[in-house]
Amino acid sequence: MSIDINADKQAADAGMSTAPQPDKYDAGQSALGARGWLRWMWRQLTSMRVALILLLLLSLAAIPSSLIPQRSVSPFKVSEYFRNNPGKAEFYDKLQLFDVFSSWWFAAIYILLFVSLVGCIVPRAWAHSKALRTKPPAAPRNMERLPAYATWETDADAADVLAAARVQLKKRRFRLAPSTDSLAGEKGYMRETGNIVFHIALIGVLLAFLVGKLFMGQGGKILVEGSPEGFANSFTQYDDFQSGALFDEKEMEAFGFKLKKLDQTFERLGTQKGAPRDFEATVEYWQGVDGKPKTGKIKVNEPLQIGGTKVFLLGTGYALDITVKDSKGKVAYQGPVVFLPQDSNRTSTGVIKVPDVSRGVQQIGFDGIFAPTVSLDPNKGWFSTFPSLDSPALILTAYHGSLGIDTGVPQSVFRLNTKAMEQYKKDDGQPWAQVLRPGETEVLPDGSSITLDGVRPWANFQISKEPGKEVALYSVIAAITGLVLSLFVRRRRMWVRATAGPDGRTVVEVAGLTRTEGGGLGQEVQALVDDLRASAPVASSDGPASGAAPKSAEAEGAAKSVAADKKDED
Amino acid sequence: MPTITSAAADAAETVNAVNENLAQLSNWFMYSAIAIYTLAFFAFCAEWVFGGRSRVAQQSAALDEVPVEVPAQAAAPVAPAATLAAAFGSAEPAAGAAGGGSVALAERPVVVVRDAGHDGDAADDGGDVTGGDERSDRFGRIAVSLTVLAFLLHAGTLLARGFAVKRAPWGNMYEFSASVALMVVAAFLILLTRRPVRWLGIFVLLPVITTLGVAVTVLYTDTQQLVPALHSYWLWIHVSTAIVSFGALHIGALASILYLMKDSYQKRMRAEDPKRRPWDTVMERIPTPASLDKTAYRVNALIFPLWTFAVVAGAVWAENAWGRYWGWDPKETWSFITWVAYAAYLHARATGGWKGRNAAYLSLLAFACFLFNYYGVNMFINGLHSYSGV
Ligand code: HEM
């Protein structure tokens, strides 16, 4: 009896999902030899259980990247880490903990997951494409054992009842398979389709991400407002540049731009005083070798797209127009010098290197602090109290000697190497230090002079090209659509049987089956039953049963065993 | 000359300033909301306490409700009187069929639903808090009314803040926490209109009051404008969906916790000589494990696509702001971890051997990742995603 029920039920829900069956542990694997082992390993790899473990491992493996500085994100912090804990850093480095996302172990997990995904999805897609072409199975013999069931007797003709059922199920857009005394319908194939689309789309996201990382090229460039020399997109023009392994310098697009104007607004009131509110860069850009110049605007969050490249505004600061003359009055240096902000009120630091002083004179280097709204604190020294140019001042000390530029060792333009230099002293032996306001000139003890001609803002642009963004986006859209379908569509089957009963009346049976979690099957079957009543009214109650209650005690037993079956199967 | 330009700049920049009166109002709303939530919590407590009076009857009920093989809810609908209407707890007129033998019954064949495990009717198991006690029921209704009142004040808090700064009130952790707590209550109230989940109220108010408490004490920041990096409509899409997801996932996590507790309780009761624990009086009155598990699954599955969308919207915003859509910033990394953990949970539910308790542990692990991504990453790990003023 119980075997009978199982077979019956299995036939009824055959092919409703291509989800893999629970993993079976058959004994005697070892007897299978190498090929058997390979097959077994493949089965394991593509099983849900292993996919689950790989998923958990993947998230576990990502954790260190948020606790330990990453080279790809903040190389500076990594070198700092090396300086502070050399021993530990060495050890971490061996484990590739500073490069989690390019480490072999992270790669191993996602490649395995990728293989698992493909190995899982291809057969499922194949099975589903077959299921899409298969008619639902005929009504099981014992329909009352199905999860939702109703039966009643009617005086209507069996053929008419089936015809009405066909109309009703068609209206509900069930796929139908008629047989002599019954009708089978199935609906909700989109669940499986959605699931497969989702998983394939995940592969798409992964591939797009990889392509992006391999072919991307991006770099930064600081431009001072109004500077005549702008930026032209070639490798040498960048302040810094990163690229993927397959990036091709020859493929760089021809364009360029200049910073015409930079507007900045800061909060003047309240606890957030000094917080940036709005930055807007007006640029003149051209595309192609001799393209006509056009005007564009770039804001934070609103990049400018030029061809396939995007230009982002990342940060701003102040540059100082400086003129240095030697003791003979000859201009030794002139130009804007970029100062880097050190705090939210734009207290900035920078250096001025003057290598070309007249022959015979030593080179000069200035070390400076710039404050857009200057203030003097007995403890902190000079600093800025507001990021706008309300009361700008440059505080300078100066050195003479060799800047070390000619040694061939690359130098930071923001740091002065004073190893071979000596600080200028005042007559009283104190270090020379001066406060310069825009327009002012100061003379050094040796007769050279420095003038602060003016202050202009600069903007830091990021120029980046990362192919595959569109593919990633479309894949993600497909993934979400597939996900919604696979989670919310219910796959279900319904059967209607109408047969002549022993008393000459027609016995109608309606049943429904779903493997999907979520309520509503009963309601749906009830709605079908209610609609069928128009064509198959319940026979007046002189008959043996009103239909509501199936042969009670036995049915209860059956129901329990069905429920128990379900549990086992899960 | 300089003074004039500076004054002009001042004038231009005060346009962005904050309406202090509204900001003050918002704070008063917040304190009132917290106070009333607390009252509602006590009213829920009273509901449980008075409902516990008829303890004896319940204990025997609790023991009955522990069948060995078949889930309790599976057996119920098989009874002839289990009309569809009854099974779904709806007050549809057809429920009159329960009158037995009436004309209506004869005319309307009813569907027998027997496999509740797959049909999900179990989710309508509302537990039994009041135990039929009238006073308990009254307190329950008072508690819900107070919750609704506090919810309105709570919403008022955020509205006032939003109008005070003329932007959506999700600009810092204080505002974000307040919004998430609002969504927890909203999820509960929405659920309440569809299913008998009043029993859940006491558990929902715990994280709500805690979150708001932390928000006003630790995270509080004055109303303020946003830094330019936060001016993006993608950001608003990202944040609003994240808030709804986070809020609703609280309910999923609660259901998982209660599932684990109730499941242990039932296992204990099945023993020969069950040891009783002080909290058993709560355990015996909450719904069956199957029903709790299903509630957890439904909430998590419903929210997973939305949360996926929130992460994607964040990536789109990051692309606009920083020129890369995914850069393994700590916040991004933890979103990824959280997302994968929830995906693992959904897989676990579909896989033999991982269902039940293991799936519930995964659900809680995933929620813990979400919590860490919010509190841990925002407060202890420095990344690009720093919030203005905390
Ligand atoms: C990044 C990796 C993955 C993610 C994020 C993911 C996500 C999901 C989600 C959200 C579902 C829906 C669950 C449900 O219907 O309740 C699902 C279903 C499924 N996944 Fe994955 N998955 C991933 C990898 C895999 C892999 C590697 C496999 C193959 C071994 C796999 C096999 C399946 C199967 C068979 C189902 C359907 C379960 C059912 O129909 O009941 N998934 N997946």
Side-chain angles (χ1 to χ4, degrees):
Chain A
M1 169 83 184
S2 131
I3 291 169
D4 191 15
I5 290 171
N6 275 339
D8 214 25
K9 207 188 119 277
Q10 264 167 25
D13 74 1
M16 260 185 116
S17 163
T18 60
Q21 294 305 307
D23 317 321
K24 295 183 188 71
Y25 303 90
D26 15 337
Q29 287 289 352
S30 52
L32 288 177
R35 270 184 71 184
W37 270 106
L38 278 178
R39 186 171 306 137
W40 180 81
M41 265 157 56
W42 176 252
R43 267 223 318 273
Q44 290 301 307
L45 183 61
T46 54
S47 75
M48 281 274 272
R49 193 163 45 92
V50 171
L52 192 58
I53 292 167
L54 288 173
L55 278 174
L56 288 173
L57 273 179
L58 191 68
S59 50
L60 209 63
I63 292 177
S65 79
S66 63
L67 307 174
I68 297 170
Q70 297 294 295
R71 277 212 180 85
S72 57
V73 179
S74 44
F76 180 71
K77 278 196 194 142
V78 175
S79 41
E80 202 171 327
Y81 203 97
F82 264 92
R83 231 176 300 129
N84 297 342
N85 329 279
K88 209 156 118 200
E90 199 96 332
F91 178 67
Y92 280 4
D93 205 24
K94 276 217 183 78
L95 297 177
Q96 293 181 299
L97 286 172
F98 296 115
D99 310 275
V100 166
F101 298 107
S102 49
S103 68
W104 64 265
W105 40 271
F106 197 80
I109 299 170
Y110 74 69
I111 288 171
L112 279 178
L113 191 64
F114 188 83
V115 173
S116 168
L117 199 56
V118 174
C120 176
I121 224 60
V122 169
R124 289 190 74 192
W126 179 245
H128 185 55
S129 74
K130 272 201 295 201
L132 282 176
R133 283 174 277 134
T134 316
K135 300 260 169 169
R141 229 169 339 119
N142 297 305
M143 280 171 64
E144 72 209 40
R145 286 175 184 130
L146 291 170
Y149 175 72
T151 181
W152 70 96
E153 292 193 340
T154 178
D155 290 323
D157 192 49
D160 292 344
V161 175
L162 285 180
R166 165 179 276 277
V167 170
Q168 287 300 334
L169 286 173
K170 261 243 134 65
K171 208 168 76 189
R172 291 167 161 79
R173 293 198 273 129
F174 273 78
R175 175 178 303 181
L176 296 179
S179 65
T180 45
D181 66 346
S182 68
L183 189 63
E186 182 165 3
K187 180 175 176 174
Y189 295 86
M190 282 311 267
R191 180 185 186 85
E192 197 70 23
T193 309
N195 191 290
I196 289 166
V197 165
F198 170 74
H199 286 84
I200 291 177
L202 279 188
I203 299 175
V205 175
L206 210 68
L207 287 180
F209 191 74
L210 280 180
V211 166
K213 286 288 159 275
L214 288 175
F215 290 94
M216 73 90 163
Q218 85 176 20
K221 178 74 184 175
I222 290 181
L223 288 182
V224 177
E225 181 188 87
S227 280
E229 71 272 14
F231 166 82
N233 190 29
S234 87
F235 199 63
T236 51
Q237 290 251 325
Y238 284 90
D239 296 336
D240 60 86
F241 195 79
Q242 304 156 326
S243 56
L246 300 179
F247 173 80
D248 185 356
E249 204 184 314
K250 291 192 231 54
E251 301 265 295
M252 288 175 88
E253 294 179 288
F255 69 87
F257 61 92
K258 283 179 194 162
L259 177 60
K260 302 298 267 187
K261 190 155 171 33
L262 180 68
D263 295 308
Q264 316 187 67
T265 330
F266 299 94
E267 184 69 56
R268 292 233 164 231
L269 302 167
T271 50
Q272 285 265 298
K273 188 173 171 212
R277 289 293 169 244
D278 200 21
F279 297 148
E280 182 178 277
T282 309
V283 297
E284 182 183 285
Y285 68 99
W286 58 95
Q287 196 182 348
V289 185
D290 38 27
K292 255 205 270 141
K294 283 180 269 193
T295 304
K297 291 211 186 298
I298 308 178
K299 293 173 93 162
V300 179
N301 279 321
E302 289 169 31
L304 177 68
Q305 176 128 20
I306 310 175
T309 307
K310 278 188 177 174
V311 182
F312 299 85
L313 176 60
L314 286 196
T316 65
Y318 292 109
L320 310 182
D321 283 307
I322 299 281
T323 305
V324 179
K325 293 182 179 160
D326 62 24
S327 51
K328 295 176 191 123
K330 191 171 149 258
V331 174
Y333 179 90
Q334 187 160 40
V337 181
V338 168
F339 271 55
L340 294 183
Q342 304 297 318
D343 63 23
S344 57
N345 282 323
R346 302 268 160 115
T347 307
S348 310
T349 58
V351 301
I352 303 146
K353 298 182 185 182
V354 188
D356 301 322
V357 194
S358 307
R359 203 185 297 269
V361 183
Q362 289 174 309
Q363 294 179 323
I364 306 176
F366 295 92
D367 206 346
I369 296 172
F370 174 74
T373 303
V374 75
S375 177
L376 179 61
D377 182 280
N379 302 319
K380 266 167 55 178
W382 297 93
F383 72 108
S384 175
T385 54
F386 194 73
S388 285
L389 294 170
D390 291 356
S391 147
L394 171 64
I395 298 90
L396 278 178
T397 60
Y399 299 82
H400 56 99
S402 166
L403 288 166
I405 291 176
D406 319 317
T407 57
V409 181
Q411 268 198 355
S412 163
V413 293
F414 299 110
R415 213 168 280 166
L416 205 58
N417 183 356
T418 55
K419 234 185 270 161
M421 302 193 91
E422 204 179 310
Q423 195 165 18
Y424 280 104
K425 298 266 170 33
K426 286 192 285 198
D427 297 341
D428 58 5
Q430 289 292 314
W432 183 89
Q434 291 296 340
V435 178
L436 272 174
R437 304 259 176 186
E440 292 179 354
T441 302
E442 284 294 340
V443 181
L444 287 165
D446 67 3
S448 348
S449 70
I450 177 164
T451 309
L452 176 58
D453 299 314
V455 182
R456 288 186 278 169
W458 56 255
N460 182 13
F461 293 101
Q462 173 163 300
I463 298 110
S464 83
K465 181 172 177 154
E466 188 176 358
K469 274 179 185 171
E470 290 77 14
V471 178
L473 186 64
Y474 294 138
S475 303
V476 158
I477 293 170
I480 295 181
T481 315
L483 188 62
V484 167
L485 290 174
S486 97
L487 287 173
F488 304 130
V489 172
R490 245 169 345 110
R491 179 95 170 256
R492 62 263 194 215
R493 287 181 180 157
M494 284 204 199
W495 292 274
V496 178
R497 173 178 282 145
T499 44
D503 55 357
R505 282 181 170 158
T506 300
V507 178
V508 184
E509 289 179 288
V510 178
L513 172 69
T514 182
R515 288 183 64 171
T516 311
E517 287 192 72
L521 179 70
Q523 272 161 322
E524 202 175 355
V525 175
Q526 183 73 63
L528 176 66
V529 167
D530 289 347
D531 285 347
L532 277 180
R533 275 194 298 157
S535 323
V538 177
S540 53
S541 51
D542 51 273
S546 63
K551 301 126 263 181
S552 205
E554 193 205 328
E556 190 160 341
K560 283 190 183 180
S561 72
V562 169
D565 289 347
K566 282 280 184 187
K567 274 192 91 180
D568 292 346
E569 179 204 50
D570 295 339
Chain B
M1 222 13 215
T3 47
I4 292 170
T5 49
S6 158
D10 260 329
E13 282 158 38
T14 41
V15 173
N16 279 337
V18 164
N19 182 328
E20 297 293 341
N21 291 340
L22 273 174
Q24 194 57 42
L25 184 69
S26 163
N27 289 353
W28 283 116
F29 276 159
M30 176 55 94
Y31 291 121
S32 325
I34 295 177
I36 296 173
Y37 278 133
T38 313
L39 285 180
F41 179 77
F42 287 129
F44 275 125
C45 289
E47 180 193 13
W48 283 81
V49 170
F50 285 112
R53 291 284 157 85
S54 43
R55 177 85 57 82
V56 184
Q58 275 168 10
Q59 272 173 16
S60 59
L63 291 174
D64 285 349
E65 134 190 65
V66 189
V68 183
E69 273 304 315
V70 188
Q73 77 283 1
V78 184
T83 64
L84 181 75
F88 286 88
S90 85
E92 213 180 304
S102 74
V103 182
L105 176 65
E107 298 253 296
R108 188 183 189 214
V110 286
V111 171
V112 178
V113 179
R114 53 185 72 202
D115 189 359
H118 272 74
D119 199 44
D121 300 343
D124 289 323
D125 171 8
D128 184 13
V129 178
T130 60
D133 183 281
E134 212 172 285
R135 245 187 321 170
S136 165
D137 185 53
R138 205 173 325 130
F139 272 112
R141 275 181 284 137
I142 290 173
V144 171
S145 313
L146 286 173
T147 308
V148 171
L149 177 62
F151 174 78
L152 294 176
L153 283 167
H154 188 171
T157 290
L158 289 160
L159 275 179
R161 255 209 177 221
F163 280 113
V165 285
K166 298 188 191 66
R167 61 169 168 78
W170 317 314
N172 49 50
M173 276 186 82
Y174 170 72
E175 294 169 358
F176 192 88
S177 280
S179 306
V180 169
L182 187 75
M183 285 306 120
V184 179
V185 183
F188 169 63
L189 292 178
I190 290 173
L191 212 57
L192 197 59
T193 61
R194 307 171 154 243
R195 293 174 194 283
V197 290
R198 199 169 76 195
W199 61 273
L200 191 58
I202 194 166
F203 304 105
V204 166
L205 285 185
L206 279 175
V208 168
I209 294 170
T210 316
T211 305
L212 291 181
V214 171
V216 293
T217 52
V218 182
L219 305 174
Y220 184 78
T221 23
D222 276 329
T223 42
Q224 57 205 217
Q225 293 298 325
L226 295 178
V227 295
L230 298 181
H231 289 305
S232 160
Y233 63 92
W234 274 107
L235 178 66
W236 298 128
I237 295 172
H238 167 64
V239 177
S240 58
T241 44
I243 286 172
V244 174
S245 307
F246 194 18
L249 289 174
H250 275 76
I251 307 277
L254 273 177
S256 288
I257 293 174
L258 293 170
Y259 159 78
L260 287 171
M261 293 175 68
K262 177 88 180 198
D263 189 53
S264 312
Y265 161 78
Q266 283 203 344
K267 285 204 179 105
R268 232 174 339 108
M269 288 302 112
R270 247 172 256 164
E272 281 293 298
D273 180 23
K275 276 196 263 344
R276 298 205 59 89
R277 300 269 157 77
W279 59 87
D280 281 353
T281 168
V282 173
M283 283 304 114
E284 66 207 12
R285 286 187 274 166
I286 63 176
T288 57
S291 158
L292 288 165
D293 183 41
K294 201 171 290 288
T295 304
Y297 173 73
R298 282 188 177 176
V299 173
N300 289 340
L302 183 73
I303 296 304
F304 187 70
L306 187 70
W307 164 236
T308 308
F309 176 77
V311 175
V312 170
V316 173
W317 168 56
E319 204 274 333
N320 276 332
W322 303 319
R324 88 285 183 295
Y325 58 93
W326 199 267
W328 298 111
D329 175 78
K331 193 92 192 171
E332 292 164 350
T333 304
W334 276 93
S335 297
F336 171 77
I337 294 169
T338 310
W339 187 77
V340 170
Y342 272 109
Y345 165 73
L346 292 180
H347 279 93
R349 287 277 313 197
T351 314
W354 279 81
K355 272 198 167 159
R357 294 188 73 90
N358 285 333
Y361 289 133
L362 273 181
S363 151
L364 290 179
L365 183 77
F367 187 70
C369 290
F370 209 132
L371 280 179
F372 182 79
N373 197 11
Y374 181 49
Y375 291 107
V377 175
N378 284 12
M379 290 158 83
F380 307 121
I381 299 181
N382 278 328
L384 290 167
H385 283 80
S386 53
Y387 281 72
S388 52
V390 183

